[in-house]
Amino acid sequence: MLTLNQLRHFHLVAETGNFAQAARLAHITQPALSNSIRLLEEKLALQLFDRRDRPVRLTAAGRELLARSQTLLSESRNLEKSISYMSEGSVGHLRIGMTAVSSASIGGEILARWCGDRPGLSADVTVANTPILLDMLRDETLDLVIGEARDLPKSTTDFETEALPLQSGGAFCRDGHPLLGKAALEFSDLLPYRFAGSHFPTVLLDELAQHFGLKDRREIRIAIDCDNIAVLRDAVANSDLILLTTRACIRNALATGQIRQLPVEIDVNAVWQAITLKTSVPHPAIPDLREVIREATRPRPA
Amino acid sequence: MLTLNQLRHFHLVAETGNFAQAARLAHITQPALSNSIRLLEEKLALQLFDRRDRPVRLTAAGRELLARSQTLLSESRNLEKSISYMSEGSVGHLRIGMTAVSSASIGGEILARWCGDRPGLSADVTVANTPILLDMLRDETLDLVIGEARDLPKSTTDFETEALPLQSGGAFCRDGHPLLGKAALEFSDLLPYRFAGSHFPTVLLDELAQHFGLKDRREIRIAIDCDNIAVLRDAVANSDLILLTTRACIRNALATGQIRQLPVEIDVNAVWQAITLKTSVPHPAIPDLREVIREATRPRPA
DNA sequence: CCGGATTACGCGAACCGTAACAATG
DNA sequence: CATTGTTACGGTTCGCGTAATCCGG
C-alpha cells in the first residue's frame, strides 16, 4: 500500500538528485531515506533510480512515477494546508439561514465582512421563515440561522441562541403619503390604511394590538405578507400601504426619498437571534462568524 | 503527518455511516478502524463524526474534509493503478528515435500496433540521423532508437543492439523515365543520372562503388540528400533523378504508379538496428516495444 | 581519501487483533 | 437483548537513528 511519505521522499531525491540533501529536506537521516526509497522500489517492483554513477539519476520508470505522482503530492500539500486552516476555522463552506428582513437588513454586510477578508470561506444562504430555518437547522441542512426571536420555541434546550442587538424598525410609507402631512401622529391614525411586511408572527401582531389598546389584532389589516423585500418596497412606493420593517431593510429607498418613515413610535423593533444546534458539533468557523455577526449588528450612529 | 490509509478509512466510514461495515470494506477489525479514526481526529484537532446517536453522522468539519480529500483519494487510486500497469510495462511515455527512412517505412506501423491496443502508452518520435539519435540515447533524451546498422560505432559495449530483418530496397525513378525502356539494365547504366536519397552513409557509397567496380565513389553523384521523404518523392517524380531507398518507404507512390522500381539488383537493402542504452535502466515497456518492432519488420508476402 | 550511498542492528511508535465494556435503539 | 462503537492490552511491523561498510571520483 502506497504511502504519501514514501512519495514525498522519492520526489525530494528526484528533484535534488542527491540522497544526502534530500534527507536533510525530509528531516531524516540519509540511511533512513535510502531505506525508504529501497522499500518503495521493492513495493512497486520498479527500479526508480540508477545508482551506478553519481549523481544518481532517475530511470525511465522513475520519470513516469515522478510525472504521475506530481498531482497527488500537490493535492496532499493543498489538503494539509486546508486542514490547518480548518482547525482554526479559517476555511470551509457554511450554510446560513436568514429571514427575509434580516437578510435584506444585515445579511449582505455580514457576508461581505465575513467572506471578504477570508479567502478560504464561502457560504450558502437560504432565506425562509424562522420555523422553516429551524427545521433545516435541526436536520443539519444549515449550520447557523439568524431568526426572529419571537418565532423561537419556548424550550430552546437544543439550540444555542444568542440575542442580537435590537434593530430599529418603524412604519414607512411612500413619499407624498397623506399621513406625512399630519401633525402629532398616533398609531391609531395608521389603522385606516392597510399594512405590508414580511412574515408577521402572530405574536407580534398580538403585542402591537395590545400595546395600542385594540380589541382585536385583526384591526391591523395585512394587505401584503411577502418574503421578498423588493416586492414590498415597490408595492408601498406605489400605493398608500404602510410598511412595517427595519430601517436597514429599506435604507436605499429611504436614501432616495422614495420611501419615508412615519414619525410614530411603534414597537416593531426586530429582535433577532443567531442560532446554532447545540446538539451538533459546530463548524470550526462558527465562532468566527458569530463574532462577525455581533460586529455587524452592533448599533452605530446613523 | 497525514496518511492515505487514514483518509481511506475516513471515507469508508463517511460513505457507509457505519463503522462495522466500513471495517469490513477496509479489511480490518472494527476496533482498529475506530482507533484509526480517533487518531485522525486527534491529529487534525478536528471532530469528524458525531457519535452521539446512531447512525454516526459527519460533522461540519467532517463534511469539509470529505469534500476536500475526494480528489486526493481518487488521484491515489489512479496512481496505484498506473503503477501496477507500469510494473508490467503497459503504461508510460516512450521517446523513440528513428531515421527518416525507417520512420517513413515502418515507423507508422510500429506506432499503430504499439499504441493502438495499449491505451496507457504514448510515444514521442524524433527523426534524425543515426549519430544524432545515438547521442540523444546516450544522454537519455531517448529511450529507444531505430538506426542504421552501418552508422553504429564499432565498439557497441554500451548499446543493446538488435538487428532487424533486412528491408528490401532498390533504385526508383519516375514513371516514363528513359531507363525504364532499356532491357537488361545494369548498375552502370544508372551512373549518367544523379541520385537522391536520405542521409547516405559514406560507407554505403563506398560499398556500392566497390561492389560495382568503380574507381571512386564520387562517380555516384548525389543530387539530393534530404531527411524528408516527401521531398525526395516529389523531386524524383518530377525529374530524372534516381531514388535509392526501401520499397516500404515509397509504397504509396509505387501503388499509384507515380514512381516505378528500376529492374536492377543493387545492395541498398536497409539494415536497421533497434538500439537501447545498456548502461541505463530500461523503461518497463521496452521489451514489449521490441517485440512489436520485431513483428512489424518481419518479412511478409507483398 | 573524502563525500555519498548502502547494510546491519536496536529501539520506539504505530497499527492491528482479541477481548471486555458501554451505549443506543 | 442485539447491534454498534469504545477502551484495554499484547504482539507484530514499520520506520527512524547510530554505527559500520562499501563505492565512486
Side-chain angles (χ1 to χ4, degrees):
Chain A
M1 200 73 96
L2 199 61
T3 72
L4 280 177
N5 238 348
Q6 284 179 320
L7 269 189
R8 274 190 274 261
H9 292 165
F10 165 67
H11 271 244
L12 286 174
V13 178
E15 282 158 14
T16 62
N18 183 317
F19 276 69
Q21 193 180 342
R24 281 192 294 275
L25 293 174
H27 306 292
I28 59 175
T29 59
Q30 193 189 65
L33 181 71
S34 195
N35 242 317
S36 179
I37 300 292
R38 188 177 54 81
L39 287 174
L40 180 64
E41 288 182 324
E42 285 175 12
K43 185 149 49 180
L44 306 187
L46 284 172
Q47 190 175 342
L48 301 174
F49 292 101
D50 188 343
R51 302 164 167 82
R52 277 171 303 192
D53 40 29
R54 248 58 74 92
V56 292
R57 281 218 312 254
L58 278 173
T59 63
R63 275 194 305 273
E64 296 287 337
L65 181 64
L66 186 68
R68 284 169 197 278
S69 57
Q70 208 73 264
T71 58
L72 182 67
L73 271 193
S74 78
E75 271 297 322
S76 91
R77 278 190 292 269
N78 284 346
L79 182 60
E80 299 223 331
K81 198 188 288 182
S82 293
I83 287 170
S84 73
Y85 288 161
M86 274 170 65
S87 304
E88 49 189 65
S90 61
V91 77
H93 186 78
L94 278 188
R95 300 154 309 174
I96 305 172
M98 295 182 184
T99 60
V101 178
S102 65
S103 67
S105 306
I106 53 168
E109 187 180 345
I110 287 173
L111 291 177
R113 282 174 182 244
W114 188 65
C115 299
D117 36 73
R118 292 170 181 77
L121 290 170
S122 60
D124 213 81
V125 178
T126 302
V127 175
N129 293 343
T130 305
I132 295 178
L133 294 176
L134 292 180
D135 278 344
M136 295 177 74
L137 193 60
R138 266 191 213 93
D139 55 63
E140 301 195 30
T141 314
L142 292 177
D143 296 305
L144 182 140
V145 161
I146 296 179
E148 306 247 358
R150 312 182 199 261
D151 279 343
L152 270 179
K154 301 287 168 263
S155 61
T156 58
T157 54
D158 50 347
F159 289 135
E160 184 77 49
T161 63
E162 174 181 357
L164 301 180
L166 219 79
Q167 299 292 311
S168 66
F172 304 85
C173 63
R174 68 171 172 87
D175 192 29
H177 193 283
L179 284 176
L180 282 172
K182 196 168 191 315
L185 201 64
E186 302 254 343
F187 184 74
S188 54
D189 297 325
L190 274 53
L191 289 177
Y193 298 92
R194 294 197 299 163
F195 292 85
S198 167
H199 174 58
F200 292 100
T202 52
V203 281
L204 170 64
L205 292 176
D206 284 338
E207 278 178 22
L208 269 178
Q210 188 182 351
H211 188 258
F212 292 108
L214 304 177
K215 291 180 291 288
D216 190 346
R217 73 146 182 262
R218 273 168 300 184
E219 289 188 45
I220 305 171
R221 293 170 303 155
I222 308 299
I224 305 179
D225 192 337
C226 176
D227 263 358
N228 189 318
I229 301 299
V231 168
L232 292 173
R233 180 200 59 205
D234 295 341
V236 170
N238 296 292
S239 73
D240 286 345
L241 291 174
I242 295 170
L243 177 61
L244 296 177
T245 188
T246 62
R247 287 186 58 87
C249 200
I250 51 167
R251 57 190 174 285
N252 283 344
L254 287 171
T256 63
Q258 187 186 20
I259 286 186
R260 311 262 309 266
Q261 181 162 11
L262 285 165
V264 59
E265 197 70 29
I266 55 174
D267 185 23
V268 291
N269 292 320
V271 179
W272 294 329
Q273 302 255 359
I275 312 159
T276 51
L277 204 56
K278 196 184 294 181
T279 58
S280 117
V281 181
H283 192 288
I286 287 286
D288 196 27
L289 175 60
R290 294 198 99 118
E291 179 58 34
V292 170
I293 293 175
R294 268 189 292 274
E295 279 171 26
T297 55
R298 183 174 303 151
R300 276 158 297 171
Chain B
M1 200 74 94
L2 198 61
T3 72
L4 281 176
N5 235 350
Q6 283 178 321
L7 269 188
R8 274 190 273 260
H9 293 165
F10 165 67
H11 271 244
L12 286 174
V13 178
E15 282 158 14
T16 61
N18 183 317
F19 276 68
Q21 192 180 343
R24 281 191 294 276
L25 293 174
H27 306 293
I28 60 174
T29 60
Q30 194 189 62
L33 181 69
S34 194
N35 245 315
S36 179
I37 300 292
R38 189 177 53 80
L39 287 174
L40 180 64
E41 290 181 323
E42 284 174 12
K43 186 149 48 181
L44 306 186
L46 284 172
Q47 190 173 344
L48 301 174
F49 292 101
D50 189 343
R51 303 164 166 81
R52 276 171 305 194
D53 41 28
R54 252 52 78 88
V56 292
R57 281 216 314 252
L58 278 174
T59 63
R63 274 194 305 273
E64 296 286 339
L65 181 65
L66 187 67
R68 284 168 197 278
S69 57
Q70 208 74 263
T71 58
L72 183 66
L73 271 193
S74 77
E75 271 296 323
S76 90
R77 278 190 291 269
N78 284 346
L79 183 60
E80 300 223 332
K81 197 188 289 182
S82 293
I83 287 172
S84 72
Y85 288 160
M86 275 171 64
S87 304
E88 48 189 68
S90 61
V91 78
H93 186 76
L94 278 188
R95 300 154 306 173
I96 305 172
M98 295 182 185
T99 60
V101 178
S102 65
S103 67
S105 307
I106 52 169
E109 187 180 345
I110 288 172
L111 290 177
R113 282 173 182 243
W114 188 64
C115 298
D117 36 74
R118 292 171 182 77
L121 290 171
S122 60
D124 213 81
V125 179
T126 301
V127 175
N129 294 342
T130 305
I132 293 177
L133 294 177
L134 292 181
D135 278 344
M136 295 177 74
L137 192 60
R138 268 192 212 92
D139 54 66
E140 303 194 29
T141 313
L142 292 178
D143 295 305
L144 181 139
V145 161
I146 297 180
E148 306 246 358
R150 312 181 200 262
D151 279 343
L152 270 179
K154 301 287 167 264
S155 60
T156 58
T157 54
D158 50 347
F159 289 135
E160 184 77 48
T161 62
E162 174 181 357
L164 302 179
L166 219 78
Q167 300 291 310
S168 67
F172 303 88
C173 61
R174 68 172 172 87
D175 192 29
H177 194 282
L179 285 175
L180 283 171
K182 195 167 190 316
L185 201 64
E186 303 256 340
F187 182 74
S188 54
D189 297 325
L190 274 53
L191 289 178
Y193 298 94
R194 294 198 298 163
F195 292 84
S198 166
H199 175 57
F200 292 100
T202 53
V203 282
L204 169 64
L205 293 177
D206 284 339
E207 280 176 21
L208 268 178
Q210 188 182 352
H211 188 258
F212 291 108
L214 305 177
K215 292 180 290 290
D216 190 345
R217 73 149 184 261
R218 274 169 298 183
E219 289 189 46
I220 304 171
R221 293 170 303 155
I222 308 298
I224 304 179
D225 192 337
C226 176
D227 264 358
N228 190 318
I229 301 299
V231 168
L232 292 174
R233 181 200 58 206
D234 295 340
V236 170
N238 295 293
S239 73
D240 285 345
L241 291 173
I242 295 170
L243 177 61
L244 296 177
T245 187
T246 62
R247 287 186 58 86
C249 198
I250 50 168
R251 57 192 175 283
N252 283 343
L254 287 172
T256 62
Q258 189 185 19
I259 286 186
R260 312 263 307 268
Q261 182 163 10
L262 286 165
V264 61
E265 196 69 32
I266 55 172
D267 184 23
V268 292
N269 291 321
V271 180
W272 293 328
Q273 303 256 358
I275 312 161
T276 51
L277 204 57
K278 197 184 292 179
T279 58
S280 119
V281 181
H283 192 288
I286 287 285
D288 197 27
L289 176 59
R290 295 197 98 117
E291 179 58 32
V292 170
I293 293 174
R294 268 190 292 273
E295 279 172 24
T297 54
R298 183 175 302 152
R300 278 158 295 171

CSV table of all heavy atoms in Angstrom, one decimal, chain B residues 208-240:
chain,number,residue,atom,x,y,z
B,208,LEU,N,28.9,0.4,-52.4
B,208,LEU,CA,28.3,0.4,-53.7
B,208,LEU,C,29.3,0.5,-54.8
B,208,LEU,O,29.4,-0.3,-55.8
B,208,LEU,CB,27.3,1.5,-53.8
B,208,LEU,CG,25.8,1.2,-53.5
B,208,LEU,CD1,25.0,2.5,-53.7
B,208,LEU,CD2,25.3,0.1,-54.4
B,209,ALA,N,30.2,1.5,-54.6
B,209,ALA,CA,31.3,1.7,-55.6
B,209,ALA,C,32.2,0.5,-55.8
B,209,ALA,O,32.4,0.1,-56.9
B,209,ALA,CB,32.1,2.9,-55.1
B,210,GLN,N,32.5,-0.1,-54.6
B,210,GLN,CA,33.4,-1.2,-54.7
B,210,GLN,C,32.6,-2.4,-55.3
B,210,GLN,O,33.2,-3.1,-56.2
B,210,GLN,CB,33.8,-1.6,-53.2
B,210,GLN,CG,34.8,-2.7,-53.2
B,210,GLN,CD,35.2,-3.1,-51.8
B,210,GLN,OE1,34.7,-2.4,-50.8
B,210,GLN,NE2,36.0,-4.2,-51.6
B,211,HIS,N,31.4,-2.6,-55.0
B,211,HIS,CA,30.6,-3.7,-55.5
B,211,HIS,C,30.5,-3.7,-57.0
B,211,HIS,O,30.5,-4.7,-57.7
B,211,HIS,CB,29.2,-3.7,-54.8
B,211,HIS,CG,28.4,-4.9,-55.2
B,211,HIS,ND1,27.4,-4.9,-56.1
B,211,HIS,CD2,28.4,-6.2,-54.7
B,211,HIS,CE1,26.8,-6.1,-56.2
B,211,HIS,NE2,27.4,-6.9,-55.3
B,212,PHE,N,30.4,-2.5,-57.5
B,212,PHE,CA,30.2,-2.3,-59.0
B,212,PHE,C,31.5,-1.9,-59.7
B,212,PHE,O,31.5,-1.5,-60.8
B,212,PHE,CB,29.1,-1.3,-59.3
B,212,PHE,CG,27.7,-1.8,-58.9
B,212,PHE,CD1,27.1,-1.3,-57.8
B,212,PHE,CD2,27.2,-2.9,-59.6
B,212,PHE,CE1,25.8,-1.8,-57.4
B,212,PHE,CE2,25.9,-3.4,-59.2
B,212,PHE,CZ,25.2,-2.8,-58.1
B,213,GLY,N,32.6,-2.1,-59.0
B,213,GLY,CA,33.9,-1.9,-59.6
B,213,GLY,C,34.2,-0.5,-60.0
B,213,GLY,O,34.9,-0.3,-61.0
B,214,LEU,N,33.8,0.5,-59.2
B,214,LEU,CA,34.1,1.9,-59.6
B,214,LEU,C,35.3,2.3,-58.9
B,214,LEU,O,35.7,1.9,-57.8
B,214,LEU,CB,32.9,2.8,-59.2
B,214,LEU,CG,31.5,2.4,-59.7
B,214,LEU,CD1,30.5,3.4,-59.1
B,214,LEU,CD2,31.5,2.5,-61.2
B,215,LYS,N,36.1,3.2,-59.6
B,215,LYS,CA,37.4,3.7,-59.0
B,215,LYS,C,37.1,4.6,-57.9
B,215,LYS,O,37.8,4.6,-56.9
B,215,LYS,CB,38.2,4.4,-60.1
B,215,LYS,CG,38.7,3.5,-61.2
B,215,LYS,CD,39.4,4.3,-62.3
B,215,LYS,CE,38.6,5.2,-63.1
B,215,LYS,NZ,37.7,4.5,-64.1
B,216,ASP,N,36.1,5.4,-58.0
B,216,ASP,CA,35.8,6.5,-57.0
B,216,ASP,C,34.4,6.5,-56.6
B,216,ASP,O,33.5,6.4,-57.5
B,216,ASP,CB,36.3,7.8,-57.6
B,216,ASP,CG,36.3,8.9,-56.6
B,216,ASP,OD1,35.7,8.7,-55.5
B,216,ASP,OD2,36.9,10.0,-56.9
B,217,ARG,N,34.0,6.6,-55.4
B,217,ARG,CA,32.6,6.6,-55.0
B,217,ARG,C,31.9,7.9,-55.5
B,217,ARG,O,30.7,7.9,-55.6
B,217,ARG,CB,32.4,6.5,-53.5
B,217,ARG,CG,32.8,7.7,-52.7
B,217,ARG,CD,32.0,7.8,-51.5
B,217,ARG,NE,32.3,9.1,-50.8
B,217,ARG,CZ,33.1,9.2,-49.7
B,217,ARG,NH1,33.7,8.1,-49.3
B,217,ARG,NH2,33.3,10.3,-49.2
B,218,ARG,N,32.8,8.9,-55.9
B,218,ARG,CA,32.1,10.1,-56.4
B,218,ARG,C,31.6,10.0,-57.8
B,218,ARG,O,30.9,10.9,-58.3
B,218,ARG,CB,33.2,11.2,-56.3
B,218,ARG,CG,33.2,11.9,-54.9
B,218,ARG,CD,34.3,12.9,-54.8
B,218,ARG,NE,35.6,12.1,-54.9
B,218,ARG,CZ,36.8,12.7,-54.8
B,218,ARG,NH1,36.9,14.0,-54.6
B,218,ARG,NH2,37.9,11.9,-54.9
B,219,GLU,N,31.8,8.8,-58.4
B,219,GLU,CA,31.1,8.5,-59.7
B,219,GLU,C,29.6,8.4,-59.5
B,219,GLU,O,28.8,8.6,-60.4
B,219,GLU,CB,31.7,7.3,-60.3
B,219,GLU,CG,33.1,7.4,-60.9
B,219,GLU,CD,33.5,6.2,-61.7
B,219,GLU,OE1,32.7,5.8,-62.5
B,219,GLU,OE2,34.6,5.7,-61.5
B,220,ILE,N,29.2,8.0,-58.2
B,220,ILE,CA,27.8,8.0,-57.9
B,220,ILE,C,27.5,9.4,-57.4
B,220,ILE,O,27.9,9.8,-56.3
B,220,ILE,CB,27.5,7.0,-56.8
B,220,ILE,CG1,28.0,5.6,-57.2
B,220,ILE,CG2,26.0,7.0,-56.4
B,220,ILE,CD1,27.9,4.6,-56.1
B,221,ARG,N,26.8,10.2,-58.3
B,221,ARG,CA,26.6,11.6,-58.0
B,221,ARG,C,25.3,11.9,-57.2
B,221,ARG,O,24.3,11.5,-57.7
B,221,ARG,CB,26.7,12.4,-59.3
B,221,ARG,CG,28.0,12.4,-59.9
B,221,ARG,CD,28.0,13.0,-61.3
B,221,ARG,NE,27.0,12.3,-62.1
B,221,ARG,CZ,26.3,12.9,-63.2
B,221,ARG,NH1,26.5,14.1,-63.5
B,221,ARG,NH2,25.5,12.1,-63.9
B,222,ILE,N,25.5,12.5,-56.0
B,222,ILE,CA,24.3,12.7,-55.2
B,222,ILE,C,23.8,14.1,-55.5
B,222,ILE,O,24.5,15.1,-55.4
B,222,ILE,CB,24.7,12.6,-53.7
B,222,ILE,CG1,25.4,11.3,-53.4
B,222,ILE,CG2,23.4,12.8,-52.8
B,222,ILE,CD1,24.6,10.1,-53.6
B,223,ALA,N,22.5,14.1,-55.9
B,223,ALA,CA,21.9,15.4,-56.2
B,223,ALA,C,21.1,15.9,-55.0
B,223,ALA,O,21.2,17.1,-54.6
B,223,ALA,CB,20.9,15.3,-57.4
B,224,ILE,N,20.4,15.1,-54.3
B,224,ILE,CA,19.6,15.5,-53.2
B,224,ILE,C,19.9,14.5,-52.0
B,224,ILE,O,19.7,13.3,-52.2
B,224,ILE,CB,18.1,15.5,-53.5
B,224,ILE,CG1,17.9,16.4,-54.7
B,224,ILE,CG2,17.3,16.0,-52.3
B,224,ILE,CD1,16.4,16.5,-55.0
B,225,ASP,N,20.2,15.1,-50.9
B,225,ASP,CA,20.3,14.3,-49.6
B,225,ASP,C,19.4,14.9,-48.6
B,225,ASP,O,19.7,16.0,-48.1
B,225,ASP,CB,21.8,14.2,-49.2
B,225,ASP,CG,22.0,13.2,-48.1
B,225,ASP,OD1,21.0,12.9,-47.4
B,225,ASP,OD2,23.1,12.8,-47.9
B,226,CYS,N,18.3,14.3,-48.4
B,226,CYS,CA,17.2,15.0,-47.6
B,226,CYS,C,16.6,14.0,-46.6
B,226,CYS,O,16.4,12.9,-47.0
B,226,CYS,CB,16.2,15.6,-48.6
B,226,CYS,SG,14.8,16.4,-47.7
B,227,ASP,N,16.3,14.5,-45.5
B,227,ASP,CA,15.6,13.7,-44.4
B,227,ASP,C,14.1,13.6,-44.6
B,227,ASP,O,13.5,12.9,-43.9
B,227,ASP,CB,16.0,14.2,-43.0
B,227,ASP,CG,17.2,13.5,-42.5
B,227,ASP,OD1,17.7,12.6,-43.2
B,227,ASP,OD2,17.6,13.8,-41.4
B,228,ASN,N,13.6,14.4,-45.5
B,228,ASN,CA,12.2,14.4,-45.7
B,228,ASN,C,11.8,13.6,-46.9
B,228,ASN,O,12.1,13.9,-48.0
B,228,ASN,CB,11.7,15.8,-45.9
B,228,ASN,CG,10.2,15.9,-45.8
B,228,ASN,OD1,9.5,15.0,-46.4
B,228,ASN,ND2,9.6,16.9,-45.1
B,229,ILE,N,11.1,12.5,-46.6
B,229,ILE,CA,10.8,11.5,-47.7
B,229,ILE,C,9.9,12.1,-48.8
B,229,ILE,O,10.0,11.9,-50.0
B,229,ILE,CB,10.2,10.2,-47.1
B,229,ILE,CG1,11.1,9.6,-46.1
B,229,ILE,CG2,9.8,9.3,-48.3
B,229,ILE,CD1,12.4,9.2,-46.7
B,230,ALA,N,9.0,13.0,-48.3
B,230,ALA,CA,8.0,13.6,-49.3
B,230,ALA,C,8.8,14.4,-50.3
B,230,ALA,O,8.4,14.5,-51.5
B,230,ALA,CB,7.0,14.4,-48.5
B,231,VAL,N,9.8,15.1,-49.8
B,231,VAL,CA,10.6,16.0,-50.7
B,231,VAL,C,11.3,15.1,-51.7
B,231,VAL,O,11.2,15.4,-52.9
B,231,VAL,CB,11.7,16.7,-49.9
B,231,VAL,CG1,12.7,17.4,-50.8
B,231,VAL,CG2,11.0,17.8,-49.0
B,232,LEU,N,11.9,14.0,-51.3
B,232,LEU,CA,12.6,13.2,-52.2
B,232,LEU,C,11.6,12.6,-53.3
B,232,LEU,O,11.9,12.6,-54.5
B,232,LEU,CB,13.2,12.0,-51.5
B,232,LEU,CG,14.4,12.4,-50.6
B,232,LEU,CD1,14.9,11.2,-49.8
B,232,LEU,CD2,15.6,12.9,-51.4
B,233,ARG,N,10.5,12.1,-52.8
B,233,ARG,CA,9.5,11.5,-53.6
B,233,ARG,C,9.0,12.5,-54.7
B,233,ARG,O,9.1,12.1,-55.9
B,233,ARG,CB,8.3,11.1,-52.8
B,233,ARG,CG,7.2,10.4,-53.6
B,233,ARG,CD,5.9,10.5,-52.8
B,233,ARG,NE,5.5,11.9,-52.5
B,233,ARG,CZ,4.8,12.3,-51.4
B,233,ARG,NH1,4.4,11.4,-50.6
B,233,ARG,NH2,4.5,13.6,-51.3
B,234,ASP,N,8.7,13.7,-54.3
B,234,ASP,CA,8.2,14.7,-55.3
B,234,ASP,C,9.3,15.1,-56.3
B,234,ASP,O,9.1,15.3,-57.5
B,234,ASP,CB,7.6,15.9,-54.6
B,234,ASP,CG,6.4,15.5,-53.8
B,234,ASP,OD1,5.8,14.4,-54.1
B,234,ASP,OD2,6.0,16.2,-52.9
B,235,ALA,N,10.6,15.2,-55.7
B,235,ALA,CA,11.7,15.6,-56.6
B,235,ALA,C,11.9,14.5,-57.7
B,235,ALA,O,12.1,14.8,-58.9
B,235,ALA,CB,13.0,15.8,-55.7
B,236,VAL,N,11.9,13.3,-57.2
B,236,VAL,CA,12.2,12.2,-58.2
B,236,VAL,C,11.0,12.0,-59.2
B,236,VAL,O,11.2,11.7,-60.4
B,236,VAL,CB,12.4,10.9,-57.4
B,236,VAL,CG1,12.4,9.7,-58.4
B,236,VAL,CG2,13.7,10.9,-56.7
B,237,ALA,N,9.8,12.2,-58.7
B,237,ALA,CA,8.6,12.1,-59.6
B,237,ALA,C,8.6,13.1,-60.7
B,237,ALA,O,8.0,12.9,-61.7
B,237,ALA,CB,7.3,12.2,-58.7
B,238,ASN,N,9.3,14.2,-60.5
B,238,ASN,CA,9.3,15.3,-61.5
B,238,ASN,C,10.6,15.6,-62.1
B,238,ASN,O,10.9,16.7,-62.6
B,238,ASN,CB,8.8,16.6,-60.8
B,238,ASN,CG,7.3,16.5,-60.3
B,238,ASN,OD1,6.4,16.4,-61.1
B,238,ASN,ND2,7.2,16.4,-59.0
B,239,SER,N,11.5,14.6,-62.1
B,239,SER,CA,12.8,14.7,-62.7
B,239,SER,C,13.3,13.4,-63.1
B,239,SER,O,12.7,12.4,-62.9
B,239,SER,CB,13.8,15.4,-61.7
B,239,SER,OG,14.2,14.5,-60.7
B,240,ASP,N,14.5,13.3,-63.6
B,240,ASP,CA,15.1,12.0,-63.9
B,240,ASP,C,16.0,11.5,-62.9
B,240,ASP,O,16.8,10.5,-63.1
B,240,ASP,CB,15.9,12.2,-65.3
B,240,ASP,CG,14.9,12.2,-66.5
B,240,ASP,OD1,13.7,11.9,-66.3
B,240,ASP,OD2,15.4,12.6,-67.5
